[in-house]
Amino acid sequence: MFSLLLLNLEEYYFEQHTANHIINKGCRDERKFRGSLKICSKSIIFEPDDNIQPIIKIPLRDCISIKAPEDNEANNPFTRYVNLSCCIYVFNGRTEHLFQLDVAGKLGDVVQTLHQLYRASCLDKMGDQAAMITAILQSRLARTSFDKNRFQSISETLHMECKAEMVTPLVTNPGHVCVTDANLYFQPLNGYPKPVVQITLQNVRRIYKRRHGLMPLGLEVFCTENDLCSDIYLKFYNCQDRDELYFLIATYIENHITEHTAESYMLQWQRGHLSNYQYLLHLNNLADRSCNDLSQYPVFPWIIADYSSSVLDLTKPETFRDLSKPIGALNKERLDRLLTRYQEMPEPKFMYGSHYSSPGYVLFYLVRVAPEYMLCLQNGKFDHADRMFNSLAETWKNCLDGATDFKELIPEFYENDSSFLVNSLKLDLGKRQGGKMVEDVELPPWASGPDDFLQKSQEALESQYVSEHLHEWIDIIFGYKQKGSEAVAAHNVFHPLTYEGGVDLNSIMDPNEKVALLTQILEFGQTPKQLFTIPHPRRIIPKLKSLSRTSSHSVSITESPVSPNEESFEDLTEESITLAWNNIAKLKLDDQNCSFYLLFCPLFPDSTLKMFSKESKTIQRSVSFSNMALSSCLILPGDTTVISSSWDNHIYFYSVAFGRRQDILMGHDDAVSKICWRDGRLYSASWDSTVKVWHCVPGETLSNKKHHFELLAELEHDVSVNTINLNAANTMLASGTKEGTINVWDVTTAAVLHQLPCHSGTVFDAAFSPDSRHLLSTGEDCCFKVIDVQTGMLISSVTADEPQRCFRWDGNTILSGSQSGDLLIWDLLGGKVIERIKGHTGAVTSMWMNEQCNSVITGGEDKQIVFWKLQY
């Protein structure tokens, strides 16, 4: 059966014609075979209708002449012959092929096309051939257009049409792309493998810009969220067409799904919502790796280093490969030899003469399920039997010891289809030196069969050891150790041409040099696009006692394992908190009466501190400290002293029991914007560009002694500080400024750990996750930003329709108060609002949540305070 893989690399299939292949015309043994004559850019292929007959491929370069019938025959309207004389010698003789077309009127066009392509094939240099063939192709595309009769509906509105090629492994197929308000279409110029490929825009889930042939011309569309293979991969002839089509599709799907970045996937992975396998798959997609491009096939790591034991022990570190090093650096002796050569090498230097991912390596693993690709890549032959994928142990050993073998694995090693390990097609893959035929892949002793091998490989990939170290491998392949001095230090330097931007093809004017360079790069393999430029954060490893696989509450990595029969009160509290956040959308107005006082600062610029009784729903006490507005307030443990900050630069202490102002701290040179109290320390933020840490010794109220204040630290900023917050352990402080900067401080040393320009405009609120691994902030720019505290990397950004003034969160779910007065519940990992609750008629300016996370109080610019309770 005909396949595009019968074509040479970089060859196009133009058109087909129903025809008869006539052998020995005019002789007694004349034979006629009906079939399809296919005109390709470098060859003519005849596919007989009778499957018993072989497909005939005639390279145009081997032809001596291509001609139509003689003039006296041409005047006969029933003559439809194309005569091809080819340099195919059998016993020093010459073979002549005669094809009879069904449609006589096409004869002249077919002969003219063949003459053009024949002239191109006879050019000496590959670059000149490619240039002439490209000109012929573009001329044909310019004379045709998308057939609008192929639209699914007559009501569809056309948005764009352009020329492009559909990309599949080792081949591309030219045609026309068309996008409407409902569908994406591709119509191949040759009608193969079907007249039109159609994708409903409503089904699109992911879309990626791709680098194809080192040029930013590719676009890949997925209708699934986690699948390895896409629904269509298109290569355009210019960036403008690609970008315009991307914009049209992205604009459509923006209303249906959220576009994910590497950072947003990282957050999901860190929080346990993506497996190691899924995360690596998404990173590969974002780094231009595609199953349709063998030179950029998805790359996965070798995980297991033990292929000799009878039992695979995933609790032993020595079972695993060192993920902090590239394959080439795992064997010290080999690495020393490579480094010696590297030091003696002239510029440009590289440590490894081959790559960890290339078309040859991909097909090395997949030859048993995709032999046609190997045959296409290697001119119709399999590799030598001893160089085939014969054994896992042998392959791993060669990757460790081989002088030029540094290959990683492919995703198939961690999936569920084991067919690539089995010679189920009964292919003749040759005989090894020992006389043994190449059959199924030899598995390690610890695997009972191919399916068991994949199952154990999956378990290894998702094991605790790999989860703790996978970020190190990501740093090498996709991250900051991929390029530059860090790559040199990590012994991770490949040939410069393999890196994105390593060569500018547009600057090479010689077409022959360009073709030779492109062929070299595509065959050698390409390094993924760099996704991270700073160290990748670790994964958050929960304690062994898991709450549930679907729990959205994160557990600290520092907590120790707990036996199922030894649940502590802390465990029960943790479970109740998890239950509360899982049901946070069931937050309702609380109408029940409770006997307690609510303390609050004014909800609009006012200098009055008020105490409110929920039971009687009346103000019990109102105190004015200053002629300027109060900014925040809190009550100290024991409920006897209230602290309030003011725009008048002062902090006021108020005795609840005696109903009078007790003390004043004049600690700043401008308005105090927020205060926090933890473990006997007062933290004050101010518009004077400082955060100050005070040790406060409360005075003895009965003897009217004043508080004693000792300034412990002053955290200096460049601009006014608007908000502060501390982590649960009181070891880190986050500050947000009026110009949108987030600072993370080490409280014990008063040193800044990270300074990030996160928001455009004022930071309204910031808070650490319960495990202190992430910091969430919200600002005037309507954005939520998530920072990885360990690395300082901005790993997620979610944009709201309006500013969110305050919030509470558990690391996964956000409860926020909006500018319009509603309470919004966000799925942070999904980047979307999952519930909107009517609250205030003005902006929600403050929010309190109890320790069990089942009661909430909000205050707003409408001068109302609202009590909320979870009801489930």
Side-chain angles (χ1 to χ4, degrees), residues 560-836:
S560 58
V562 178
S563 167
N565 298 321
E566 297 179 354
E567 284 194 326
S568 64
F569 175 76
E570 182 181 347
D571 297 324
L572 295 174
T573 302
E574 189 175 85
E575 290 187 0
S576 68
I577 291 173
T578 301
L579 180 63
W581 275 104
N582 285 344
N583 290 275
I584 197 70
K586 298 178 181 178
L587 206 61
K588 306 291 183 184
L589 288 173
D590 182 13
D591 295 327
Q592 297 181 0
N593 290 327
C594 297
S595 297
F596 70 85
Y597 288 105
L598 174 69
L599 171 75
F600 66 95
C601 291
L603 306 176
F604 53 97
D606 190 346
S607 61
T608 308
L609 177 74
K610 298 179 175 67
M611 296 185 67
F612 181 86
S613 169
K614 186 187 176 190
E615 184 176 24
S616 63
K617 298 183 179 180
T618 58
I619 294 177
Q620 299 294 303
R621 197 172 297 178
S622 180
V623 183
S624 181
F625 291 135
S626 166
N627 60 359
M628 297 187 72
L630 302 181
S631 56
S632 67
C633 58
L634 55 85
I635 189 164
L636 296 186
D639 299 341
T640 60
T641 302
V642 173
I643 308 178
S644 182
S645 59
S646 171
W647 286 3
D648 67 3
N649 312 352
H650 298 161
I651 300 171
Y652 296 92
F653 291 75
Y654 175 79
S655 171
V656 176
F658 291 87
R660 62 171 177 255
R661 190 177 69 192
Q662 191 173 352
D663 213 338
I664 303 176
L665 173 59
M666 294 179 284
H668 288 277
D669 298 325
D670 204 339
V672 182
S673 51
K674 189 173 181 180
I675 53 175
C676 296
W677 176 275
R678 296 285 180 87
D679 293 340
R681 293 184 176 184
L682 176 67
Y683 302 81
S684 59
S686 170
W687 295 354
D688 66 5
S689 305
T690 67
V691 173
K692 294 185 178 181
V693 185
W694 309 87
H695 177 59
C696 297
V697 180
E700 297 177 15
T701 306
L702 293 177
S703 60
N704 290 324
K705 289 185 178 180
K706 300 289 186 179
H707 287 70
H708 173 69
F709 305 107
E710 178 186 358
L711 180 61
L712 300 179
E714 183 170 333
L715 312 181
E716 294 186 355
H717 297 67
D718 296 329
V719 294
S720 300
V721 183
N722 193 62
T723 185
I724 55 172
N725 218 323
L726 288 104
N727 69 335
N730 304 328
T731 57
M732 290 183 290
L733 178 143
S735 58
T737 71
K738 281 193 170 185
E739 292 189 1
T741 302
I742 292 289
N743 299 273
V744 181
W745 300 83
D746 182 336
V747 173
T748 57
T749 63
V752 63
L753 301 175
H754 307 294
Q755 186 176 46
L756 299 169
C758 286
H759 297 274
S760 56
T762 301
V763 179
F764 287 144
D765 202 357
F768 291 91
S769 58
D771 57 15
S772 299
R773 296 296 295 269
H774 295 122
L775 175 68
L776 177 68
S777 62
T778 183
E780 192 177 3
D781 56 1
C782 305
C783 291
F784 282 112
K785 300 292 181 75
V786 181
I787 297 170
D788 179 81
V789 175
Q790 176 199 0
T791 63
M793 182 184 291
L794 181 64
I795 61 175
S796 184
S797 178
V798 178
T799 304
D801 294 333
E802 58 181 332
Q804 306 297 304
R805 297 285 293 273
C806 52
F807 67 86
R808 293 293 182 271
W809 76 312
D810 72 334
N812 301 293
T813 305
I814 306 170
L815 174 65
S816 68
S818 69
Q819 184 74 28
S820 63
D822 291 346
L823 299 187
L824 303 183
I825 299 171
W826 298 79
D827 171 13
L828 177 60
L829 303 181
K832 59 186 178 182
V833 175
I834 55 178
E835 191 71 35
R836 180 182 289 268

Side-chain angles (χ1 to χ4, degrees), residues 285-302:
N285 268 321
L286 291 169
D288 282 342
R289 314 302 284 189
S290 168
C291 291
N292 286 305
D293 186 350
L294 297 184
S295 68
Q296 298 189 92
Y297 202 80
V299 56
F300 270 59
W302 283 95

Side-chain angles (χ1 to χ4, degrees), residues 160 162-164 177 179 207-212 215-221 233-250 288 500 529:
M160 177 189 178
C162 65
K163 300 174 288 185
V177 170
V179 63
I207 179 170
Y208 300 100
K209 292 181 180 180
R210 290 282 186 239
R211 174 180 47 136
H212 185 273
M215 301 289 285
L217 299 173
L219 188 72
E220 194 161 22
V221 179
Y233 187 149
L234 297 170
K235 172 198 169 186
F236 296 82
Y237 296 110
N238 59 71
C239 296
Q240 292 74 20
D241 286 345
R242 192 276 302 268
D243 292 345
E244 183 178 351
L245 189 69
Y246 177 89
F247 174 78
L248 288 171
I249 299 177
D288 282 342
E500 183 178 27
K529 177 191 293 183

